[in-house]
Amino acid sequence: MESMSASETHPAAFAAGRADAPVRIVVLHGYTGSPGEFHQLAESLAARLDARVVVPFLPGHGTHESSLLRVSFDDLLEAARGHVRRAAQGGHPLVIMGHSFGGYLAVLAREEAPQCRALVLTVVPYALRFPFALPLLAWLMRWRDFWRKPLSAEEEALRRQAFFYLDMPGSALSWVQAANGKMRAALRSCTVPILAIGTDGDDIATPESAPRIIADSGPARGSKVIVLDGRSHEIFLDGRQGEVIGLIGDFIAHTLARHA
């Protein structure tokens, strides 16, 4: 196990846009990921929407992989809720975005902000590919503290653009399976529009993940599903992130305009 990230990029939480901007956006990164994936996204949304975009670090991330063993799912969720509560201070319109595992946290933290206008969920593993959906596999993986991620050379090279961990804690899959259940329950009462973006080349999530998120959500007007062709999980690192950023900006702009 490598104790530090494979990346040499210095990790840091950050915010884009002026502090007194009239719109707030919180972006929650994925498990074993970092805010470093979202600089272009944050700068673009801040400029286009006149928004304050906050991209925090989740607990256990940004230092050593062993730090992940000292945090629970509840720790991650409480941190996400705290970031949402702080962003909600002042009553500004708020959008919460969650990438991959961060999507679970985004949906569950939404209740902290009554003025939340929309959720943006990107490559959330809501429907798992074989064999990750097998309950027995999650049980077996817990017998080791860490497993090396099955990354292709191309995926590893992409991830080196931002701070990340090469290994995944053995508890990660059981967390994902449990989080899917929590998210499914929370979606039933979700009353804000959701943009769900998936891909057909994700190694963990099936292309049906994004449509199922919308199908399981409450009757909010304006929700949208996008499944990207020929894209992997790394939609903000593969050189084509401009397309995704544009789609997200369009959705948020349209949703905010409906509430104006």
Side-chain angles (χ1 to χ4, degrees):
M1 181 188 76
E2 297 192 13
S3 61
M4 288 293 291
S5 159
S7 172
E8 296 180 357
T9 304
H10 182 71
F14 70 94
R18 57 192 179 96
D20 61 346
V23 174
R24 299 289 188 267
I25 301 174
V26 176
V27 179
L28 301 172
H29 66 77
Y31 193 54
T32 73
S34 76
E37 297 179 52
F38 307 103
H39 280 284
Q40 185 176 338
L41 170 79
E43 295 291 347
S44 176
L45 295 181
R48 176 176 177 179
L49 305 169
D50 192 12
R52 179 71 167 176
V53 185
V54 178
V55 193
F57 250 122
L58 294 173
H61 294 73
T63 55
H64 297 264
E65 288 178 342
S66 57
S67 298
L68 292 174
L69 300 179
R70 297 191 289 272
V71 297
S72 66
F73 179 85
D74 287 341
D75 293 330
L76 298 178
L77 179 55
E78 185 51 41
R81 285 173 169 160
H83 291 301
V84 169
R85 284 194 296 267
R86 286 188 286 276
Q89 291 174 356
H92 299 285
L94 173 68
V95 175
I96 309 171
M97 173 178 158
H99 178 71
S100 191
F101 190 89
Y104 303 126
L105 306 179
V107 172
L108 296 173
R110 181 191 62 85
E111 63 189 19
E112 303 295 327
Q115 74 271 40
C116 179
R117 295 290 186 264
L119 290 169
V120 176
L121 308 176
T122 56
V123 294
V124 178
Y126 192 59
L128 293 166
R129 288 190 186 273
F130 180 85
F132 299 109
L134 297 175
L136 182 60
L137 181 61
W139 179 80
L140 290 172
M141 288 184 66
R142 293 182 68 92
W143 286 89
R144 284 174 55 177
D145 283 343
F146 286 96
W147 295 84
R148 179 54 55 96
K149 294 178 184 177
L151 299 175
S152 67
E154 179 182 3
E155 286 180 306
E156 186 170 328
L158 289 173
R159 293 197 184 195
R160 288 182 183 276
Q161 299 174 46
F163 190 95
F164 76 104
Y165 293 135
L166 279 171
D167 302 300
M168 184 71 70
S171 59
L173 183 56
S174 60
W175 281 17
V176 165
Q177 293 178 350
N180 271 326
K182 295 176 184 290
M183 180 174 169
R184 188 172 298 109
L187 283 172
R188 296 190 190 106
S189 60
C190 185
T191 57
V192 301
I194 299 173
L195 172 62
I197 299 179
T199 77
D200 64 359
D202 196 315
D203 290 335
I204 298 177
T206 71
E208 289 75 34
S209 285
R212 286 188 187 179
I213 287 172
I214 302 304
D216 287 347
S217 64
R221 290 178 53 214
S223 291
K224 187 174 184 178
V225 175
I226 298 173
V227 179
L228 302 170
D229 295 331
R231 305 286 290 272
S232 71
H233 196 78
E234 312 307 326
I235 60 174
F236 293 104
L237 297 173
D238 65 3
R240 292 178 284 172
Q241 57 266 39
E243 174 192 3
V244 180
I245 293 170
L247 293 169
I248 292 172
D250 290 346
F251 175 80
I252 295 175
H254 178 73
T255 301
L256 293 177
R258 287 179 52 223
H259 287 274

